[in-house]
Each structure stands twice: as structure tokens, then as C-alpha cells.
Amino acid sequence: MVVDEKWNKKLKDFLKRYYQDDVLELANNYPDERSLIVNYDKLEVFDRDIARDLIEDPESVILSLEFALKDMDLPLSKKLDNAHVRVSNIPNRIPIRDLRSKHLSKFIAIEGMVRRATEVRPRITKAAFKCMRCDTVTYVEQPGNKLDEPYSGCENENCGKRGPFKLVVEQSEFVDSQKSQIQESPESLKGGTNPQSLEINFNDDLTGKVSPGDRVIINGILRSVPRALREGKSTFYDLVLDANSIEHLDQEYDDLDITAEEEEQILELSRDPKIYDKIISSIAPTIYGNDHVKRALMYQLFSGVTKQFPDGTRTRGDIHVILVGDPGVAKSQLLRYIVKLSPRGVFASGKSASASGLTAAAVKDDLGDGRWTIEGGALVMADMGIAAVDEMDKMRDEDKSSLHEAMEQQTISIAKAGIIATLKSRCALLGAANPVYGRFNRFESLADQIDMPPALLSRFDLIFLLLDVPESQMDNRIASHLLQTHYAGELMQHKNNISSSDITQEYIDEQMINIVPEIEPELLRKYVAYSRRNVYPIMDEDARMHLVDFYTSLRKQGEGKNTPVPVTARQLEALVRLAEASARVRLSNRVTMDDAVRTTDITMECLKNVGID
Ligand code: ADP
Ligand code: MG
């Protein structure tokens, strides 16, 4: 490497001025620790031109910084030969879907969620080739995926033959390597678009630092690699980010910006005595009726409070809800709405085709080049949000068995092919299930009809049974509601075709108003995020008593009876969560008697429905 002395001195000055102590600490712990982390902001304060060069030509600036680091005078007689300089806080943040060829070879920052990560395995960085004719060893740097041989021939001037060569593994140099794929996080996707993803390379001490479900910012250099073809070379290239540094993100809804003006609006709304009805009517306004379900979904959005105990145990605050019902009663529609309203919503189907399914899987795929890859499924990607899982009746058996752990401990464990991993899935589950045999039979077991073990069903805090009962008046209303939604403009024409005395002009006007949500979805999302971030309500004594009494009477009623879902201590926890969620709806730090009554009301509604009455 050609070293410009002035430039080298300047970089050494920078490291001395800002990172003297860190460099000493690094030297102390070297080679167990091998990285010096430099904050981009400091570099910019020190010299704007260097900072700009770092973004434009990161490869050579990082090399120069590393050279300067090795060249520093250290009191210890240590050489930091393999130390890295890693730069955090890169301002050049690019959304994955906006990556273009102009970003190639630039220093960029990518934010997202880790979807897959391979095992950590050695990669050859400098290969030693022994000439089979003269035994001379020639070293070749290995930047790419394919092993490069000494193309210019044997190093020995007297030989110079082009092989054959033999790779000497013992004399070659290796580095730990790991590949990963990150994808756009659910909260950055508007209106249910498919997330896009990017492949990431991690080397040396950056390996083993991320697992599926982690929210991260990866700073690194964007590279292109030709697509693999069976024969010849492709003219199309894929993007890969060579990671230089990793920043783990705080798990709250940091990324949802709430302006001071919006905060004012949120506080104003929370003081409205009609706030509950306003929110309920803003959930899926095009779906007629189903107010109890919408109320439950409101509680689910706001969530109870997760409690962490000193002994390390925790109880979840997330409220799991399942909609069980006949086909065509708007279950899927409701799920899609909630995904849109939740600050962090992920939609998935029980019969999903991907290997990871709902939970997680260890697979051997193209990302790993023969290595095992751990891939997080919907419940991992929905960490700290809501996972809406449609068609749960069609779930795979592997998913069924790991769902117990996912719903209660909120983790997903994998043990396969020597890989043991635990991923986080701290999300609320909103499930929908159709009856396996076409329509529901009220007199048969609920669990059997949706092909789900009762133990799994009992992990849901609320179970709704939605039956498609033909009632002409109701059908008319839904029909008119549907028509208004779909063809608001042509409404008057359609009205003439619906022969019902029910549909008066006043009725239509009233319904039209309902279809426009009282609270805009974007504001409601922020309202929910604001509440979950800031409100941790404590329960009043009389509210607690009310819940305990209710629970005790449920236990008594349930005794000896063959109830569809057994009443266990789990129900008491569910009651607490619902009451806390109810307080959070109005941003209250107190769970009052009113919240407790709302809780027992909705619980009764569900129980009556599934048959404990
Ligand atoms: P499911 O998932 O329960 O089988 P879908 O969500 O696919 O049902 O709904 C089927 C169709 O019927 C959708 O177009 C939905 O909008 C409509 N629909 C059903 N019930 C209602 C309702 N109560 N209000 C408005 N539309 C409804
Ligand atoms: Mg459906």
C-alpha cells in the first residue's frame, strides 16, 4: 500500500485526539477484541473532507484508518496487525427498495430486520498454493466467492509454470464468515406491500452478532456480485452489503415519529368520553357489525403490560385473539385491517409456503452455500407487534407444536443438525380459523372442528365464534353496506335494486358517515404507539376485586362440566391484560372499576358465544 505521510499523520492525529483511551483498551484486549469503533460524527467534526471521502470511497479511507491504527505508538509492545476500524452512525441511510447502482462501492447504512442468518464458518482469505513441479508456495488473496488460483503462474522465477497447484490448507489464512439477509421492517411498509430484502456479509468479529428477528442498522460497503448461472457469466448482478459495523436498535416504536402537533391531537382524543366508540368505529369501518370483535381487536392493539419479575420470569402483556367461524364472515378482512392499524403488523397464512412457516426453521439453502441457515417466520418477524395468521386450521404440524412456546414464553427454539437457537417472538397473535368440515356445528367440539389441540386453543385470551346465520334483515344491511363501500358514487342506482323497506335515505346517510373512519388510520397507529410507549397503568383495588370475583365464579361454573375451553389461572392473567389494555385506550395510568367491568363484559360475550353459559 502506498502511504501518504501527511494523510497518515492526520488520521493518527484524529485517532489520538478522540480515541486514545479506546485504542489503549483495544491493545490491552487484543487479539480477543479486534475492533475500534469510530463515530462518524466525530470524524465529521474533525475534518469534513475526510468524512465525505469516507462515504464516497470507504474502502481506501478505512484501509488508511486501519493503517494509522497499526502505526500508532503504543506503550505495550503489541502489534494490532489484524485490527479493524469500524465506523458507526453513517448518515447515508438508504431504504432497501431505493438501492441503485449509484450506491455501489459507497458507504451506506441499511435499517431492517434480520430474516435469515447462516452458521458462522471459516472462509479462506489468503490461499497457499504449492507448485507441483518445484514445490514453491504462491499466496493468492481471495476476495470473491470462487477460489482464485495463481493465474500468473508459479512465483518461482525459474519455474513460472501455470500449475498444476495444490492448495495447502495449513498455510492458508482463514476468517470467520457469516451471511445474513435483512428485510424492511413491518412498520416501514405502508399498506401491506411486500418487504424487500438485502444480503449481508459479516466477517471476523462481526459474525454471530445477529439472529432472526433482530432490528438492526448495518453500516457497510455496497457491492455487486454476478448472478450464478450454470454456464458462462450473467450480465445481471445482485447486491450484497459488506458489513463494516452493526447497531442494534432499541425495541420500542422509535421509528414512528410523532410530531408535537400529533401528540396534542392524541391527548385531546384521549380526553373524549366517546373515545372507545370512536376507536371501535375506526377499526375496519367497511365491515358491518362485529362490534364485539372490533372491541377485542382494540384491546389487542393497545395490549396489556408485560411484567418482568426479579427472578427473571415474565408474564406477557400481549393479548392473543382468535376468530373462529364460517367462511365468508369477514375474518380475513378484519385481519388485514389490524395489520394496517398496528404500529408493527405482519400478515401470514397458516398454509404459508416458506420453510420457516409461522415460527422458524433451519434450512440448507442458497444463502448458506451449503451451510445451515436459520430463518425466522411470521411470529419472529412480528416481534413487538401483532402477527395476523389466517387459516390457522391449515397450519403445519411443526408450527402447531412450536406455537405453544411462542404464545406463552414468547420465544421459539430450534434444535436441529447441531444448531441450537432461541429466537424472540414477543408478539400478539391474531388468528383466524375456518371449520375443517365446511360449516360450524354448534354441538360439536370447537377444537376438533378447527383441528387444533384444546391446549393450544386455551392459550388465546379471547375466542370469538362467528357464525354465518342467514337473517334477512342482517343480510340486507351487510349488502347495502358492501354496496356503499364499493360503489359509493353509484349508490343511488343500486338502491333501486335492493328491495327492502329497511334501506331508507336516512339509513344510507348514516352508514355513509360510518364508512369514513372517525380517526384516520395513520393517526390511530400513532395513538396506539404513543400509548404503548408511555402508559403503564396500575390496577385499583376495587377493580382487582371485581376481576377476582368474576374469575372465581367462572371456576365454580366450570367445575365438572365438559366445557369447550377449561377455565384455568391463565384466564385470570387474561382478565388483567384486558383491563390494562382498556386503561391504555384512554391513556390512563389507573385501571379503574370501569375497565374491570368492560373486561368482564367482553369475556362474558366470548364465553356465551363458545358455549359456557
Ligand atoms: P372469511 O375470511 O371469514 O372467509 P372474508 O374476510 O374473505 O371472509 O370475507 C368475504 C367477503 O364478505 C369480503 O369481501 C367481506 O368484505 C364480505 N363481508 C362478510 N361479512 C361482512 C360484513 N359484516 N360487512 C361487510 N362485508 C362483509
Ligand atoms: Mg378467510
Side-chain angles (χ1 to χ4, degrees):
M1 192 170 94
V2 199
V3 181
D4 176 338
E5 273 310 317
K6 242 174 81 187
W7 171 236
N8 186 35
K9 183 172 177 313
K10 185 144 203 184
L11 293 178
K12 277 202 282 193
D13 280 349
F14 167 70
L15 293 177
K16 237 181 256 162
R17 185 169 327 161
Y18 291 95
Y19 292 101
Q20 177 92 311
D21 292 348
D22 302 71
V23 171
L24 281 180
E25 200 183 315
L26 177 66
N28 264 327
N29 300 326
Y30 189 84
D32 291 339
E33 270 174 41
R34 293 184 293 285
S35 288
L36 177 75
I37 314 263
V38 166
N39 191 329
Y40 178 86
D41 288 350
K42 297 222 167 113
L43 194 59
E44 195 173 39
V45 171
F46 177 76
D47 188 325
R48 295 193 120 200
D49 292 339
I50 300 182
R52 204 197 48 232
D53 285 354
L54 176 71
I55 300 289
E56 293 304 316
D57 185 11
E59 181 128 26
S60 59
V61 176
I62 298 251
L63 268 176
S64 309
L65 275 166
E66 287 177 352
F67 188 87
L69 174 66
K70 286 164 207 170
D71 204 28
M72 279 173 82
D73 299 321
L74 295 170
L76 301 143
S77 60
K78 256 189 192 168
K79 277 249 152 261
L80 301 178
D81 272 346
N82 287 315
H84 309 280
V85 171
R86 308 204 177 276
V87 188
S88 64
N89 226 354
I90 297 297
N92 196 19
R93 183 130 6 134
I94 320 282
I96 293 177
R97 64 183 56 230
D98 293 344
L99 287 173
R100 295 292 178 269
S101 45
K102 68 174 180 197
H103 298 120
L104 285 172
S105 307
K106 301 282 177 333
F107 214 146
I108 58 169
I110 297 289
E111 183 180 338
M113 268 182 107
V114 179
R115 166 98 167 136
R116 305 194 280 169
T118 67
E119 292 176 282
V120 179
R121 283 292 177 264
R123 194 182 87 78
I124 200 162
T125 51
K126 199 188 228 178
F129 288 99
K130 193 187 216 169
C131 177
M132 299 301 276
R133 293 169 197 263
C134 71
D135 279 359
T136 308
V137 173
T138 304
Y139 292 92
V140 184
E141 301 273 350
Q142 301 292 335
N145 272 348
K146 262 173 81 191
L147 190 69
D148 284 337
E149 296 214 355
Y151 293 121
S152 46
C154 177
E155 229 171 42
N156 182 350
E157 281 167 27
N158 301 329
C159 173
K161 293 267 177 9
R162 296 182 174 264
F165 296 102
K166 189 177 172 236
L167 179 70
V168 192
V169 173
E170 300 76 40
Q171 291 180 42
S172 300
E173 286 175 21
F174 289 85
V175 68
D176 285 329
S177 85
Q178 183 182 32
K179 273 195 195 178
S180 160
Q181 185 190 35
I182 72 169
Q183 74 180 34
E184 294 170 296
S185 51
E187 59 270 28
S188 67
L189 298 171
K190 295 265 155 58
T193 35
N194 270 336
Q196 298 203 358
S197 59
L198 180 69
E199 210 175 293
I200 317 276
N201 281 332
F202 295 110
N203 275 327
D204 200 14
D205 55 343
L206 284 190
T207 55
K209 292 267 159 61
V210 300
S211 38
D214 286 358
R215 276 154 207 285
V216 289
I217 295 172
I218 311 285
N219 305 294
I221 305 173
L222 192 67
R223 312 236 185 242
S224 58
V225 288
R227 278 209 188 136
L229 285 187
R230 275 241 178 87
E231 265 171 61
K233 285 188 177 143
S234 170
T235 53
F236 289 98
Y237 281 67
D238 280 325
L239 295 175
V240 178
L241 188 70
D242 261 339
N244 172 268
S245 68
I246 307 171
E247 297 168 45
H248 279 267
L249 293 177
D250 185 8
Q251 303 276 350
E252 281 309 314
Y253 303 124
D254 278 347
D255 16 24
L256 211 61
D257 287 326
I258 298 174
T259 63
E261 194 185 328
E262 283 163 342
E263 182 173 349
E264 197 41 58
Q265 267 177 296
I266 288 168
L267 293 175
E268 170 89 35
L269 267 173
S270 75
R271 289 188 287 266
D272 188 330
K274 287 219 178 88
I275 183 64
Y276 290 87
D277 291 337
K278 274 198 173 168
I279 292 178
I280 291 167
S281 71
S282 305
I283 293 175
T286 60
I287 304 296
Y288 180 80
N290 288 307
D291 282 1
H292 295 301
V293 178
K294 292 184 185 179
R295 180 176 283 272
L297 299 181
M298 167 176 73
Y299 295 144
Q300 183 178 44
L301 280 171
F302 283 87
S303 167
V305 179
T306 297
K307 291 166 194 95
Q308 208 88 42
F309 298 103
D311 65 351
T313 56
R314 72 192 272 282
T315 53
R316 66 177 155 96
D318 295 301
I319 296 168
H320 301 315
V321 179
I322 187 165
L323 313 179
V324 177
D326 289 327
V329 294
K331 299 184 298 297
S332 301
Q333 291 280 13
L334 284 165
L335 261 55
R336 294 207 177 268
Y337 264 106
I338 290 303
V339 169
K340 273 195 216 157
L341 282 182
S342 163
R344 228 173 239 173
V346 172
F347 187 91
S349 172
K351 56 177 182 196
S352 118
S354 87
S356 52
L358 296 179
T359 52
V363 290
K364 273 197 171 160
D365 61 8
D366 48 335
L367 182 73
D369 300 318
R371 294 177 285 192
W372 286 96
T373 301
I374 297 183
E375 177 172 321
L379 270 74
V380 173
M381 301 312 280
D383 188 37
M384 304 300 279
I386 294 182
V389 180
D390 206 355
E391 321 235 355
M392 285 194 77
D393 47 297
K394 298 186 184 65
M395 232 176 1
R396 303 176 310 176
D397 288 339
E398 302 96 287
D399 279 337
K400 253 181 227 173
S401 53
S402 35
L403 216 52
H404 289 260
E405 180 197 351
M407 290 177 75
E408 217 50 58
Q409 278 76 47
Q410 302 199 293
T411 55
I412 291 167
S413 305
I414 307 179
K416 183 177 172 184
I419 299 176
I420 296 174
T422 302
L423 307 179
K424 297 184 190 107
S425 67
R426 295 159 299 178
C427 64
L429 177 57
L430 170 57
N434 286 313
V436 182
Y437 317 107
R439 272 183 169 243
F440 265 97
N441 181 345
R442 261 191 170 282
F443 306 102
E444 301 243 340
S445 138
L446 196 62
D448 281 355
Q449 293 189 69
I450 56 169
D451 194 18
M452 197 185 279
L456 194 53
L457 200 56
S458 75
R459 276 172 168 75
F460 286 94
D461 298 71
L462 293 173
I463 302 168
F464 285 92
L465 183 57
L466 308 177
L467 296 178
D468 184 16
V469 198
E471 275 177 64
S472 65
Q473 209 179 6
M474 183 73 168
D475 286 347
N476 254 326
R477 294 229 168 121
I478 293 183
S480 106
H481 197 82
L482 266 179
L483 292 182
Q484 287 163 46
T485 320
H486 291 279
Y487 316 104
E490 306 160 48
L491 181 64
M492 292 322 286
Q493 279 160 282
H494 281 278
K495 190 193 140 214
N496 300 332
N497 300 335
I498 300 167
S499 53
S500 168
S501 53
D502 235 42
I503 303 177
T504 60
Q505 186 60 50
E506 286 88 309
Y507 174 75
I508 291 173
D509 289 346
E510 184 197 67
Q511 292 302 306
M512 285 303 286
I513 292 164
N514 281 344
I515 290 170
V516 180
E518 286 204 62
I519 307 171
E520 285 290 319
E522 212 35 46
L523 182 62
L524 186 51
R525 253 178 119 209
K526 291 184 176 178
Y527 189 115
V528 170
Y530 182 89
S531 175
R532 291 178 63 141
R533 233 186 255 168
N534 298 303
V535 185
Y536 294 88
I538 307 285
M539 199 171 305
D540 284 356
E541 195 48 40
D542 54 348
R544 187 189 312 274
M545 287 314 296
H546 179 76
L547 295 185
V548 170
D549 287 348
F550 178 79
Y551 168 70
T552 317
S553 71
L554 269 189
R555 287 280 285 187
K556 272 215 195 87
Q557 277 179 47
E559 257 169 40
K561 263 199 245 170
N562 195 9
T563 49
V565 181
V567 179
T568 65
R570 218 172 251 137
Q571 255 82 2
L572 185 58
E573 285 179 7
L575 294 172
V576 172
R577 282 191 278 272
L578 288 165
E580 286 167 348
S582 166
R584 273 183 159 177
V585 173
R586 54 171 205 288
L587 308 183
S588 163
N589 280 315
R590 270 178 59 202
V591 180
T592 61
M593 188 64 176
D594 284 347
D595 294 315
V597 172
R598 272 190 279 267
T599 297
T600 51
D601 281 354
I602 191 140
T603 307
M604 274 316 287
E605 196 62 45
C606 281
L607 293 179
K608 217 162 60 192
N609 227 321
V610 298
I612 312 184
D613 52 352

